[in-house]
Amino acid sequence: MMSSGYTSIDKQNLSGSVPAASGPDHVVNFADSNLQTFPPSETQGKISAVFRPPTDADDTFSKPAPGSSNQSQQPTGWMHAFTVGAYRPYFDVDTSDVLERIRDSLFPFKGSFTEKTSDNPDLYGPFWICTTLIFVAAAIGTFVTYLAHKLQNKDWDYDINLVTWSAGLFYGYVTLVPLGLYVILKYFSAPSGLVQLWCLYGYSLFVFIPASCLSVVPIEIFRWVIAGVAGFMSACFVALNLRTHIKSAGERWFLIVAGIFLLQLGLAVILKLYFFTITV
């Protein structure tokens, strides 16, 4: 047999060999290894540390400017009026606040709107009310004109100027009229907050949104009634909320309140004549 040519090796004298286990309780002990622990002790923590750019990287934009603090310095004085932060408090309202103020504008005879908003007048609601009214008035007015032409089988052309005139009318009214009233009240030594007036006039226009939607009904007398009711409610809302304050202006307070009331009625008349008077 070829197996007879193999040389027998003495396993007991073989260096580095592991003797066979003699029993289940036999424990084999290994000598400590001479290998280094990975990673080396001097690099502990560098692998898990926050990434840093190499020393030759350009970190000009990551460094603060010399002499600057962590927070950007806000301009002071009259320059503060041209910053976003100056108007942030006037948009600090939530949905419930806006809905409550809209609901108060639909009940004009309470006269408590200025008291509720004296500590936190907002411009968020007035802005979106005016913006919504602009597009609603232009869209409904266009649809009413289109419907009237089609019922009589006549050609109809879209008038893009309705949107332009609507924006000029409502944005201009809610901005310039309170500004003029602010100057008048200051002249009569009964000053009122300008933002408070903008807030009041802005919410007073909400009633014209449902009024514009109801003007779709193709009955002229019905449209006049809707415009009259909406104008009366809006005028009462503004006049009654300012009456108590304007009384301190002296004997001419009644003239000022009457002027405020008539201006609101005039806005309703302009809205009816320009947007909802159909000429075919």
Side-chain angles (χ1 to χ4, degrees):
M1 296 292 290
M2 295 181 62
S3 59
S4 60
Y6 289 96
T7 303
S8 176
I9 300 175
D10 187 2
K11 296 181 179 180
Q12 297 296 330
N13 298 326
L14 183 62
S15 176
S17 63
V18 180
S22 58
D25 297 332
H26 181 76
V27 179
V28 179
N29 296 322
F30 294 93
D32 293 339
S33 174
N34 294 327
L35 297 176
Q36 289 184 339
T37 303
F38 184 83
S41 58
E42 60 269 18
T43 61
Q44 288 288 344
K46 292 186 178 180
I47 293 178
S48 60
V50 179
F51 170 77
R52 293 183 176 87
T55 56
D56 58 346
D58 185 5
D59 57 351
T60 303
F61 296 100
S62 63
K63 292 182 179 180
S68 64
S69 59
N70 293 332
Q71 297 180 350
S72 58
Q73 296 182 356
Q74 296 291 337
T76 57
W78 64 273
M79 289 294 294
H80 184 62
F82 296 95
T83 62
V84 177
Y87 303 95
R88 187 177 301 169
Y90 306 123
F91 291 84
D92 186 20
V93 289
D94 53 22
T95 304
S96 60
D97 295 330
V98 175
L99 291 178
E100 181 180 359
R101 295 175 183 189
I102 289 175
R103 184 172 60 251
D104 290 340
S105 70
L106 297 177
F107 297 93
F109 300 104
K110 291 183 177 180
S112 59
F113 183 85
T114 53
E115 297 178 2
K116 293 181 178 179
T117 61
S118 59
D119 296 332
N120 185 27
D122 73 287
L123 298 178
Y124 180 86
F127 172 77
W128 284 111
I129 289 173
C130 287
T131 304
T132 304
L133 182 58
I134 287 168
F135 288 100
V136 168
I140 299 297
T142 300
F143 178 74
V144 168
T145 306
Y146 168 79
L147 190 62
H149 281 75
K150 290 302 178 181
L151 289 176
Q152 299 186 17
N153 295 323
K154 293 185 178 181
D155 295 334
W156 172 80
D157 294 326
Y158 174 70
D159 187 8
I160 190 62
N161 291 326
L162 284 178
V163 178
T164 305
W165 282 103
S166 179
L169 174 65
F170 295 112
Y171 279 148
Y173 183 87
V174 82
T175 301
L176 297 180
V177 172
L179 184 60
L181 181 61
Y182 170 78
V183 175
I184 292 173
L185 293 179
K186 198 168 185 179
Y187 175 78
F188 284 102
S189 300
S192 178
L194 181 58
V195 177
Q196 182 85 17
L197 294 175
W198 277 334
C199 178
L200 177 66
Y201 271 84
Y203 281 100
S204 71
L205 299 183
F206 178 81
V207 69
F208 291 112
I209 296 178
S212 299
C213 297
L214 291 175
S215 297
V216 174
V217 179
I219 302 175
E220 189 66 15
I221 187 63
F222 179 78
R223 290 171 179 163
W224 274 110
V225 171
I226 290 298
V229 172
F232 179 78
M233 292 178 61
S234 179
C236 288
F237 174 71
V238 177
L240 293 179
N241 277 283
L242 291 176
R243 180 185 60 180
T244 303
H245 177 76
I246 295 177
K247 279 184 177 181
S248 60
E251 298 178 354
R252 297 183 180 180
W253 72 269
F254 181 79
L255 295 178
I256 300 175
V257 173
I260 293 171
F261 186 87
L262 294 176
L263 276 177
Q264 290 290 111
L265 285 180
L267 178 64
V269 172
I270 293 174
L271 179 64
K272 167 62 181 70
L273 292 177
Y274 188 77
F275 293 97
F276 302 109
T277 297
I278 310 303
T279 56
V280 180

